[in-house]
Amino acid sequence: MNTPAPTGQPAPASFMEALRFWLKLGFISFGGPAGQIAIMHAELVERRRWISEKRFLHALNYCMLLPGPEAQQLATYIGWLMHRTWGGIVAGALFVLPSLFILIGLSWIYLRFGDVPVVAGIFYGIKPAVTALVLHAAHRIGTRALKNRWMWGIAAAAFVAIFAFNTPFPAIVLAAALIGHFGARRWPQVFALGGGHGTAVADHGPALIDDETPTPVHARFSKRHLVKVLAAGLGLWLLAMALLLWTQGVQGTLTQMGWFFSKAALLTFGGAYAVLPYVYQGAVDTHQWLSGAQMIDGLALGETTPGPLIMVVAFVGFVGGWVKAVLGPDALFLGAALAATVVTFFTFLPSFIFILAGGPAVEATHGRLGFTAPLSAITAAVVGVVLNLALFFTYHVWWPRGFDGPLDLPPVVITVLALVALFRFKFGVMPLLGVCALAGLVITLSS
């Protein structure tokens, strides 16, 4: 029997009440963007009724068009809509900070005790699970983005470009954006956005920010507000970069991390899996902050912690800060923790700017083909890039000593079973990782 929707207006939510919720969300936001958005929908739309279904989906659709973690941006957007600029900053920051502190701790354990048989066994089982998760992500993005043969062609071209020619990820993004921009003029139906998160709007009763609630004064577009936000955001970036240049120099590890992850933050179309090849190219190949095997381990840690998956960059920063001894050999942990914090700051700063500056213009931009067509093409290209990432992981996990070495059969079996669990039985991320970690532990300790 369906429970009737409440008819009374919910009690107003104070800033402190919202702060407590955002802090709680930062610790329970497991399950990747889909799980995090589901948690926010259940809490904010259905249970607390702080925002209506229609307004929630409208904000979500905007966040999905932006580079960066859409769930964190959605929290920032709703926090900003409810309690102005500081509400957005608090909501977005608390979505990230618990994950940062947890990853700093786990990264330290990984570097200090990674060779301990129990820890090694857990990672032996988690790595094949992560391989399956990346393959599942490619399928999930593909079903949403590859709506016609032209989008399939863009995905295939992106895969060939990065797999066969090692084309830098930014070049692939730029090429896809240009295809979408010019292609939409000639074939608009090809690049129109497909179905989003559904059009059916459920009735959960009146909300504090309801369908007909006028846009708050602070959320209305003004050039003055736009200039203030852009100036503040750019000023923060310049101040942080100037501090790193002054203390580290141009070639300093922290300076290079700040510059590199500023660029990475602008390329995260399609979620964290899409930007990981770019992070790999830069962090492993170019700067040698960590090894390819450590990159896979970092993604495994990222999957097991709350917060956005792109927080794997904190692991990259921690390991790089440790390896490069950014504060000297006598302060390895402090240097690594500082590097993780620097990387997190530069990765997430653009997300706050996008929401606080672009939020008031959502009504004017959402749904316009000239705005969405390049993003549709980029999302299609992302499918090919993520597939290449999945093959990279498969190679390193199944043939840990390279193709010249033997095939490691247990990871193959775990990967296949994990794929069945994801596709056939719809396993959640955390149960899957738990079962695979246990399997890896049993295999390594019994061999």
Side-chain angles (χ1 to χ4, degrees), residues 72 76 88-98 352:
Q72 185 262 352
T76 305
I89 292 173
V90 165
L94 291 179
F95 197 91
V96 171
L97 287 178
F352 288 96

Side-chain angles (χ1 to χ4, degrees), residues 11-22 44 48 50-51 75-91 208-209 216-219 356:
S14 68
F15 182 86
M16 289 305 299
E17 185 181 355
L19 186 149
R20 286 192 294 270
F21 168 74
W22 298 123
L44 299 178
R48 301 171 189 263
W50 287 355
I51 187 170
T76 305
Y77 189 105
I78 296 174
W80 161 76
L81 201 57
M82 292 181 63
H83 295 112
R84 307 175 68 90
T85 300
W86 276 111
I89 292 173
V90 165
L208 289 178
I209 303 175
V217 175
H218 72 271
L356 298 178

Side-chain angles (χ1 to χ4, degrees), residues 424-445:
R424 178 68 179 85
F425 298 104
K426 312 298 181 186
F427 254 51
V429 172
M430 294 308 296
L432 179 76
L433 292 174
V435 171
C436 291
L438 182 60
L441 191 59
V442 170
I443 292 169
T444 52
L445 294 181

Side-chain angles (χ1 to χ4, degrees), residues 255-333:
T255 307
Q256 292 295 312
M257 284 181 173
W259 175 241
F260 174 76
F261 284 101
S262 294
K263 294 183 290 182
L266 302 177
L267 296 169
T268 51
F269 293 96
Y273 286 116
V275 79
L276 284 176
Y278 177 66
V279 173
Y280 178 87
Q281 285 177 337
V284 177
D285 294 337
T286 304
H287 297 287
Q288 297 177 341
W289 293 326
L290 74 173
S291 67
Q294 287 175 325
M295 186 74 187
I296 300 174
D297 293 340
L299 185 55
L301 282 179
E303 290 279 12
T304 60
T305 56
L309 181 58
I310 193 62
M311 280 302 296
V312 68
V313 300
F315 173 85
V316 173
F318 190 94
V319 175
W322 183 288
V323 169
K324 301 294 184 180
V326 295
L327 293 183
D330 297 327
L332 289 179
F333 175 80

Side-chain angles (χ1 to χ4, degrees), residues 42-120:
E43 288 284 339
L44 299 178
V45 177
E46 299 176 20
R47 181 167 171 261
R48 301 171 189 263
R49 292 187 288 140
W50 287 355
I51 187 170
S52 71
E53 176 107 352
K54 187 175 180 180
R55 297 287 280 264
F56 180 90
L57 292 176
H58 187 72
L60 174 59
N61 286 335
Y62 171 62
C63 294
M64 290 199 66
L65 295 177
L66 298 172
E70 61 263 35
Q72 185 262 352
Q73 290 171 335
L74 179 61
T76 305
Y77 189 105
I78 296 174
W80 161 76
L81 201 57
M82 292 181 63
H83 295 112
R84 307 175 68 90
T85 300
W86 276 111
I89 292 173
V90 165
L94 291 179
F95 197 91
V96 171
L97 287 178
S99 178
L100 172 62
F101 294 134
I102 293 170
L103 270 173
I104 286 175
L106 291 176
S107 300
W108 177 78
I109 292 172
Y110 169 81
L111 287 175
R112 288 297 303 272
F113 306 107
D115 292 331
V116 173
V118 171
V119 177

